[in-house]
Amino acid sequence: MKDHDKLTILATIPSGFCFGLQHITVDFFSRFPKNVKSHFLLTKFGNGELEKLLNKHNIPCSYSWLGMFSRKLDWYNLRMSLHALIKLPKLYIDFFRLQKKMDPDVLFFANHHELILLYPALLFTKRTVVCHMHDPAPAIPFQKKTFAWYGKRVNKFIAISDNVRERTIALGCDPGKIETIHNGISIPVYSDAGRSNEFCKAAGWDDNVFIVAITGQMTATKGSMDLLHAFRILYTNNSLARLVIGGKPQEPMFKALTDKITEWGFEKLVYFPGWQPEVAGLFRNVDVFVLASRHEEGYGLVVAEAMAHKLPVVITASGGAVEIVEDSVSGYIVPKEDPVSMAEKLLLLSTDPILCRKIGEHARRRVEEHFNIEKQTAIFSNFLFQVIR
């Protein structure tokens, strides 16, 4: 008979690379109490970074042929799709062997893609299945039919935001089968020493400039071009404004941004610091953070991280991100693809340092009270225990 004061989890996670989903999943699992034991099944399609992250937290893992069937026609994705098909029998054998070895209470899926891939194997086990929903598919007829197929085998869904919960319900999920547990972040130690000026030195700016920042993937959906247009309006009204665009340069967006910067003569006003090993380094060197997403963010982890550094934030009305920010209290929420509204809020902050500081302090308290990783982990682990009882 199982001891339900202990919990054993076999977790399957998409991708062998480390993005936001992978980091937040490991953040939760690394903080689970000692009576929770877990093992991760990883894909051989990866760069080893996820294994390194798990090893750092002493979380065991093993590999199998987890893959995705891609519609892209480049060689990497074609190879992955072919291997995913050919290696399915080996994947199922590895999956059953791990279950036999571990005798897990819960089969945990960090997103729904691997759940679909392993669905045939799940039909031959009675173990509890939990799926952590980060980015549900759009509620179109095909996806609804697909969800009706795999959703029956899931005992409980966890949504990272109310927005994700609503989108999952729109796919056909029973509202009683899904619960929202917001992601959490580690609350950083904050210094009141003021903004650092490494970016000012690197870009050749005076120390008294007001620095607006965005970071993340340089794609159209992340809205960096919208922010650049907003910055042009801001600079017209406040010549001390400067812009930092963080993240790894990605084409074609990087060229589109630099072409526009050159066209406007803004080369000395915009700085690209490149990829930062720790996003905290970016937050220490700027005055306000912007999330300009055009799509529905599942959560908006980087927003919470910026707020924890006492940065006022300006975000678009994007999915779960609006659940983090109290409009006009801990930041500002503006419509998507609306540079004029964005510029209006940025101008307000850039010309009122007292308001800027006040909103930053509210932002920090908001994250401490509602998005602290320690609190969220306790809620998360308690939920998993309830599922098996």
Side-chain angles (χ1 to χ4, degrees):
M1 185 173 179
K2 279 280 190 176
D3 179 0
H4 290 313
D5 288 328
K6 296 181 179 180
L7 181 65
T8 303
I9 305 171
L10 174 54
T12 306
I13 191 166
S15 177
F17 302 91
C18 278
F19 301 113
L21 183 154
Q22 288 74 23
H23 276 283
I24 190 59
T25 302
V26 176
D27 281 347
F28 274 129
F29 275 71
S30 66
R31 288 173 171 81
F32 280 163
K34 292 182 179 180
N35 59 339
V36 178
K37 304 296 181 184
S38 57
H39 184 103
F40 275 71
L41 180 61
L42 309 182
T43 176
K44 292 186 179 182
F45 292 99
N47 59 5
E49 290 301 314
L50 183 52
E51 181 181 3
K52 290 179 183 177
L53 182 61
L54 290 166
N55 289 340
K56 177 182 176 182
H57 296 288
N58 297 313
I59 300 175
C61 63
S62 56
Y63 283 95
S64 189
W65 293 98
L66 285 163
M68 289 176 61
F69 302 109
S70 177
R71 290 172 294 181
K72 295 181 180 179
L73 297 179
D74 60 90
W75 169 241
Y76 177 85
N77 284 286
L78 285 171
R79 179 173 174 268
M80 185 177 70
S81 296
L82 182 61
H83 272 200
L85 180 62
I86 294 173
K87 297 290 187 177
L88 274 179
K90 182 65 168 67
L91 169 63
Y92 295 155
I93 291 170
D94 291 342
F95 190 58
F96 282 124
R97 283 177 176 171
L98 269 176
Q99 290 184 60
K100 185 176 180 180
K101 178 181 177 180
M102 291 182 57
D103 191 22
D105 301 291
V106 172
L107 300 176
F108 178 89
F109 290 84
N111 213 340
H112 63 284
H113 300 294
E114 279 62 33
L115 173 65
I116 296 172
L117 191 67
L118 285 164
Y119 179 82
L122 295 176
L123 296 177
F124 296 94
T125 178
K126 294 182 179 180
R127 301 181 194 277
T128 300
V129 177
V130 174
C131 182
H132 201 188
M133 297 296 284
H134 291 254
D135 187 19
I140 58 178
F142 172 78
Q143 297 292 357
K144 287 183 176 181
K145 289 179 180 178
T146 304
F147 184 89
W149 166 58
Y150 71 78
K152 291 179 182 178
R153 186 57 193 87
V154 178
N155 297 89
K156 285 288 185 178
F157 288 93
I158 301 172
I160 65 172
S161 65
D162 288 335
N163 175 270
V164 167
R165 182 177 185 272
E166 291 165 4
R167 287 158 58 192
T168 306
I169 291 172
L171 282 171
C173 181
D174 179 347
K177 284 181 65 173
I178 184 166
E179 182 169 326
T180 298
I181 301 176
H182 285 108
N183 288 339
I185 65 165
S186 299
I187 306 299
V189 176
Y190 180 81
S191 170
D192 285 320
R195 188 192 73 199
S196 298
N197 286 316
E198 286 94 343
F199 288 170
C200 289
K201 292 177 182 177
W205 298 335
D206 293 334
D207 290 349
N208 66 336
V209 297
F210 184 87
I211 304 177
V212 179
I214 188 172
T215 193
Q217 295 182 351
M218 284 189 198
T219 60
T221 58
K222 292 299 183 180
S224 49
M225 185 62 78
D226 294 332
L227 175 57
L228 184 59
H229 281 270
F231 174 74
R232 187 186 190 192
I233 300 170
L234 171 64
Y235 180 73
T236 301
N237 293 278
N238 182 354
S239 62
L240 290 177
R242 299 292 185 271
L243 177 61
V244 167
I245 303 177
K248 182 180 179 180
Q250 290 176 267
E251 301 296 356
M253 181 52 64
F254 180 67
K255 185 178 187 303
L257 290 168
T258 53
D259 285 350
K260 189 62 68 175
I261 289 166
T262 301
E263 177 187 335
W264 292 342
F266 279 8
E267 293 93 335
K268 294 183 179 180
L269 305 178
V270 183
Y271 175 57
F272 292 89
W275 180 79
Q276 302 286 300
E278 292 187 4
V279 73
L282 181 139
F283 296 144
R284 289 193 298 268
N285 282 277
V286 304
D287 297 294
V288 61
F289 182 77
V290 176
L291 180 85
S293 294
R294 293 179 168 188
H295 71 300
E296 292 290 284
E297 293 281 350
Y299 174 66
L301 184 68
V302 70
V303 175
E305 290 173 331
M307 291 167 65
H309 283 82
K310 286 192 177 182
L311 284 181
V313 296
V314 177
I315 71 167
T316 53
S318 171
V322 301
E323 297 168 37
I324 304 173
V325 178
E326 298 168 291
D327 191 25
S328 301
V329 178
S330 55
Y332 292 105
I333 302 172
V334 299
K336 295 176 185 175
E337 301 183 56
D338 188 345
V340 174
S341 295
M342 189 179 292
E344 177 185 314
K345 300 305 182 186
L346 291 172
L347 180 61
L348 190 62
L349 291 167
S350 71
T351 54
D352 192 337
I354 295 176
L355 175 66
C356 201
R357 189 179 309 112
K358 180 181 177 181
I359 289 182
E361 289 171 353
H362 278 295
R364 168 82 178 199
R365 285 197 294 271
R366 169 81 173 163
V367 174
E368 287 176 336
E369 293 172 6
H370 298 283
F371 306 104
N372 185 326
I373 187 65
E374 306 298 339
K375 294 180 180 178
Q376 296 309 108
T377 298
I379 295 171
F380 200 105
S381 61
N382 287 339
F383 175 84
L384 292 177
F385 271 106
Q386 291 170 10
V387 168
I388 66 170
R389 285 173 179 157

